[in-house]
């Protein structure tokens, strides 16, 4: 294979994986990884690094993979990232680091994400752990939420010698990594739990089943528990709906609930007594990564699944890889289509969804062309389950129970570029500030806030 073409990654066959929850992508072996790493030009001005929200030394770790020194490759990555096995799987590399790769100008960009995954997985198998602080600095920091923002912030603070405790509302740590992203994209035991154990190995403590705002308030953490600073990385778990007739019918889910039941409560497994209602024909409304996750989960539970999205394929916000995998597995895409009513039978169960066809008009404020409904084009889709995947917003519990925390009109916490909120000593980042976004952007925010917290604490 020439240097212009990337080494392909082995995957489960679509017809097989559409009926199981095992990981789709099988990753590189050592031979494949070293061959792909050899394609890296080790640029003097590595633009790939500027495309990474956590600024990993990408040529640095890839050069170590070329040499076969996986331990040192992992050490390079772990200086910058607390979750390399996660990022290697779910980051939108094609629009970030790989989009900046010089190799991509005339051929395929280097497969940076798959190499990061290989290094992280190999390090786990070899028992290699991230390096912690040489000594404690005497400062105590509380982190609210154990998702990607919280874990990243906690890891960086612990490496600097802080005494860090994460407070997690759910019974299991990981945030969106455990409740939002399906097993077939991100294995929980083998990947997520292993990454969390690595963060704990730095000295980070995690308290689960602790709802900040109910179990304890931020003011109590600072005034009574002696925390010198607080980072809020509580995510955005409040689902949005369309406000159309029929949304309260039995068989209508938010994607959040549907995925949480499947991923965290193992509803897909016969070994767990936490079943989920699912039908034979499912409509997933939305076109982002979460919509793809919900659709591919419903497919694996045995349904015929339709993605209903009001724009064209070109405007789909989901990763190209996720759309490609969904199509391979048999998901049906009903594009330029918008729901106007959910129909229900005499018992209150979903029996169809009335839609209208759309055309694309002028670009909206985000730059995407706005959908315009076509009069007289209404039709009914025969479905018995509807999953709404229209985005999420932050839960107001923390802001409503904390003095001095300002929120925006969208319900997001107000914070400056460094993550400092309007309350002294309290920082925030990730979806709690921006609204729903990607794992890597949340990690970048956690990293930025950790640096600001250390400056605030004077260490």
């Amino acid at each position: 294979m020439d240097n212009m073409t990337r080494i392909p990654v082995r995957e489960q066959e679509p017809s097989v994986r559409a009926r199981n929850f095992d990981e789709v992508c099988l990753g590189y072996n050592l031979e494949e990884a070293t061959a792909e790493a050899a394609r890296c030009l080790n640029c003097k001005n590595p633009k790939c690094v500027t495309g990474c929200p956590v600024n990993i030394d990408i040529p640095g770790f890839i050069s170590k993979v070329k040499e076969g020194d996986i331990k040192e490759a992992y050490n390079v990555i772990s200086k910058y990232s607390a979750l390399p096995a996660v990022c290697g799987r779910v980051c939108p590399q094609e629009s970030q680091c790989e989009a900046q790769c010089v190799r991509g100008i005339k051929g395929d960009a280097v497969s940076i994400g798959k190499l990061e995954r290989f290094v992280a997985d190999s390090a786990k198998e070899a028992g290699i752990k991230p390096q912690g602080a040489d000594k404690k600095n005497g400062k105590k920091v509380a982190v609210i939420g154990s998702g990607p923002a919280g874990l990243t912030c906690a890891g960086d603070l612990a490496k600097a010698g802080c005494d860090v405790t994460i407070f997690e509302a759910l019974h299991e740590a990981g945030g969106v990594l455990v409740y939002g992203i399906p097993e077939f994209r991100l294995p929980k035991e083998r990947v997520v739990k292993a990454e969390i154990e690595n963060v704990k190995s730095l000295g980070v403590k995690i308290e689960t089943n602790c709802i900040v705002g109910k179990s304890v308030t931020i003011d109590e953490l600072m005034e009574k528990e002696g925390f010198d600073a607080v980072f809020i990385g509580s995510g955005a778990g409040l689902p949005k709906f369309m406000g159309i007739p029929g949304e309260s019918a039995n068989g209508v889910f938010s994607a959040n609930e549907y995925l949480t039941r499947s991923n965290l409560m193992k509803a897909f497994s016969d070994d767990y007594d936490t079943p989920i209602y699912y039908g034979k024909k499912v409509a997933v409304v939305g076109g982002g990564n979460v919509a793809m996750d919900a659709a591919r989960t419903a497919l694996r539970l045995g349904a015929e699944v339709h993605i209903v999205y009001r724009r064209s394929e070109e405007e789909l916000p989901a990763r190209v890889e996720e759309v490609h995998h969904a199509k391979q597995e048999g998901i049906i895409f009903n594009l330029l289509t918008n729901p106007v009513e959910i129909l229900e039978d005499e018992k209150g169960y979903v029996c169809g969804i009335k839609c209208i066809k759309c055309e694309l008009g002028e670009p909206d404020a985000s730059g995407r062309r706005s959908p315009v409904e076509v009069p007289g084009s209404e039709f009914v889709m025969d479905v018995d389950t509807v999953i709404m995947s229209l985005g999420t917003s932050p839960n107001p519990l923390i802001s409503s129970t904390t003095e001095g925390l300002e929120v925006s009109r969208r319900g997001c916490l107000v914070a400056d570029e460094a993550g400092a909120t309007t309350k002294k000593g309290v920082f925030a980042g990730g979806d709690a500030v921006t609204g729903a976004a990607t794992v890597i952007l949340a990690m970048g925010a956690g990293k930025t806030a950790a640096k600001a917290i250390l400056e605030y604490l004077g260490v």
Side-chain angles (χ1 to χ4, degrees):
M1 190 168 288
D2 63 64
N3 270 341
M4 304 309 292
T5 308
R6 65 171 56 183
I7 304 297
V9 182
R10 289 165 291 119
E11 296 178 345
Q12 281 196 73
E13 286 294 324
S15 60
V16 175
R17 70 182 191 235
R19 294 291 175 260
N20 68 52
F21 279 81
D22 298 334
E23 191 169 13
V24 168
C25 180
L26 304 178
Y28 285 144
N29 58 30
L30 179 60
E31 181 183 356
E32 293 162 340
T34 51
E36 182 61 21
R39 296 182 60 238
C40 178
L41 298 172
N42 201 17
C43 305
K44 288 184 179 178
N45 179 25
K47 293 183 178 179
C48 55
V49 176
T50 62
C52 173
V54 294
N55 298 120
I56 291 171
D57 178 6
I58 292 168
F61 95 77
I62 291 180
S63 67
K64 293 302 176 184
V65 176
K66 282 184 200 176
E67 297 167 12
D69 189 347
I70 305 307
K71 181 177 181 180
E72 193 51 39
Y74 180 76
N75 287 340
V76 171
I77 295 174
S78 62
K79 286 178 187 175
Y80 305 88
S81 174
L83 307 168
V86 169
C87 289
R89 287 168 164 85
V90 303
C91 259
Q93 292 99 3
E94 68 279 358
S95 61
Q96 294 180 163
C97 54
E98 292 177 12
Q100 304 297 324
C101 178
V102 172
R103 275 276 183 221
I105 296 173
K106 293 185 177 179
D108 293 340
V110 174
S111 191
I112 298 167
K114 299 298 188 287
L115 289 174
E116 182 181 16
R117 167 189 165 152
F118 166 77
V119 170
D121 289 356
S122 300
K124 176 183 175 287
E125 288 171 18
I128 301 167
K129 294 282 186 183
Q131 297 170 333
D134 294 328
K135 60 179 181 179
K136 293 284 187 180
N137 61 30
K139 300 296 183 180
K140 191 176 173 185
V141 184
V143 172
I144 301 169
S146 63
L151 290 170
T152 298
C153 186
D156 279 13
L157 290 170
K159 287 176 189 174
C162 295
D163 181 356
V164 186
T165 303
I166 296 176
F167 297 92
E168 168 55 49
L170 297 177
H171 64 278
E172 201 166 309
V176 71
L177 305 177
V178 291
Y179 72 72
I181 303 175
E183 192 80 19
F184 54 82
R185 277 220 294 143
L186 189 62
K188 307 310 168 207
E189 289 287 337
R190 184 164 55 85
V191 176
V192 179
K193 285 190 177 179
E195 296 275 66
I196 292 170
E197 287 304 315
N198 281 345
V199 172
K200 289 168 72 174
S201 76
L202 298 170
V204 174
K205 297 179 284 293
I206 302 179
E207 288 190 23
T208 55
N209 298 307
C210 181
I211 303 173
V212 174
K214 285 194 173 181
S215 308
V216 65
T217 65
I218 286 177
D219 294 319
E220 287 169 345
L221 287 173
M222 300 183 83
E223 294 165 13
K224 295 182 180 179
E225 302 291 334
F227 285 97
D228 300 298
V230 174
F231 173 74
I232 303 170
S234 51
L238 195 63
K240 297 176 183 176
F241 288 87
M242 292 185 72
I244 60 176
E247 276 187 317
S248 60
N250 292 317
V252 178
F253 295 87
S254 69
N256 236 37
E257 178 189 358
Y258 194 83
L259 289 169
T260 299
R261 283 177 175 270
S262 179
N263 300 334
L264 187 64
M265 300 170 73
K266 311 296 183 189
F268 64 84
S269 174
D270 292 336
D271 297 333
Y272 284 77
D273 189 24
T274 51
I276 186 171
Y277 169 86
Y278 55 89
K280 294 179 180 177
K281 286 190 176 182
V282 176
V284 179
V285 182
N289 289 326
V290 176
M292 299 305 146
D293 286 344
R296 296 172 69 197
T297 295
L299 182 84
R300 282 160 172 76
L301 292 171
E304 174 187 296
V305 185
H306 296 252
I307 288 281
V308 180
Y309 182 62
R310 61 187 186 150
R311 290 183 169 93
S312 70
E313 183 168 345
E314 198 174 308
E315 284 81 23
L316 279 169
R319 289 185 68 189
V320 172
E321 183 177 62
E322 300 310 316
V323 175
H324 172 66
H325 282 160
K327 285 183 173 180
Q328 280 186 323
E329 291 165 7
I331 304 290
I332 301 160
F333 283 73
N334 294 92
L335 303 173
L336 292 168
T337 303
N338 201 35
V340 292
E341 183 181 356
I342 296 168
L343 308 177
E344 50 189 303
D345 63 19
E346 64 279 1
K347 293 183 179 179
Y349 284 87
V350 173
C351 64
I353 183 168
K354 185 186 287 186
C355 300
I356 190 166
K357 299 299 289 183
C358 297
E359 294 175 344
L360 291 181
E362 295 301 311
D364 62 14
S366 70
R368 289 189 298 171
R369 292 172 66 194
S370 297
V372 179
E373 295 181 350
V374 178
S377 64
E378 293 91 347
F379 69 99
V380 174
M381 287 180 65
D382 176 26
V383 299
D384 54 14
T385 304
V386 177
I387 301 172
M388 291 292 184
S389 183
L390 307 167
T392 53
S393 58
N395 190 309
L397 179 62
I398 290 174
S399 58
S400 66
T401 56
T402 308
E403 286 288 330
L405 266 187
E406 190 179 329
V407 296
S408 70
R409 284 186 302 171
R410 295 189 302 142
C412 297
L413 293 171
V414 173
D416 65 18
E417 288 184 2
T421 69
T422 50
K423 185 178 177 69
K424 186 179 179 182
V426 178
F427 298 75
D431 292 4
V433 172
T434 61
T438 62
V439 167
I440 190 64
L441 289 176
M443 289 177 62
K447 195 169 192 65
T448 298
K451 184 180 177 184
I453 290 168
L454 293 172
E455 289 176 3
Y456 168 77
L457 296 175
V459 294

